[in-house]
Amino acid sequence: MDLGIEVILELFTKKKFAEIFEIAFNNDRIVSENAQRIYTLKEDYLQHLEEVIFFYKEKTKPLPDKFVRTTSCLRLLVLNN
């Protein structure tokens, strides 16, 4: 078992990201233009998150365009907040 991967897989779930969006909103942390853009796209992030994790976990090749778009969105979310 790779503890690093297990932690990532536990944190990067639709439920956890929904909680992060809710916490950010409830604590008035969505202040920058980029944060507002990300929050506006939250449903898109949540919709595709599990597909990205499945890709990493199972090493499959589902819908490459969606994968690239969602991975870029997640990277922006993590790096800019």
Side-chain angles (χ1 to χ4, degrees):
M1 172 171 64
D2 182 338
L3 184 58
I5 300 249
E6 294 300 317
V7 170
I8 293 298
L9 293 176
E10 180 67 26
L11 293 175
F12 282 79
T13 64
K14 189 173 185 176
K15 181 181 176 186
K16 291 291 183 187
F17 264 72
E19 289 174 14
I20 291 169
F21 279 119
E22 185 177 331
I23 290 167
F25 180 78
N26 290 338
N27 291 289
D28 295 320
R29 300 296 296 164
I30 304 169
V31 293
S32 73
E33 184 177 319
N34 193 47
Q36 290 171 6
R37 184 185 62 76
I38 291 169
Y39 187 77
T40 300
L41 295 170
K42 74 178 181 174
E43 292 304 322
D44 194 42
Y45 287 103
L46 295 174
Q47 178 183 353
H48 301 294
L49 180 63
E50 291 175 347
E51 292 174 12
V52 173
I53 294 303
F54 183 80
F55 174 86
Y56 281 116
K57 205 172 168 183
E58 303 298 327
K59 306 288 192 262
T60 60
K61 294 185 178 181
L63 306 170
D65 290 337
K66 243 190 228 185
F67 171 75
V68 169
R69 189 172 112 208
T70 305
T71 302
S72 298
C73 291
L74 291 174
R75 186 178 53 232
L76 285 172
L77 177 65
V78 171
L79 294 177
N80 291 311
N81 289 307

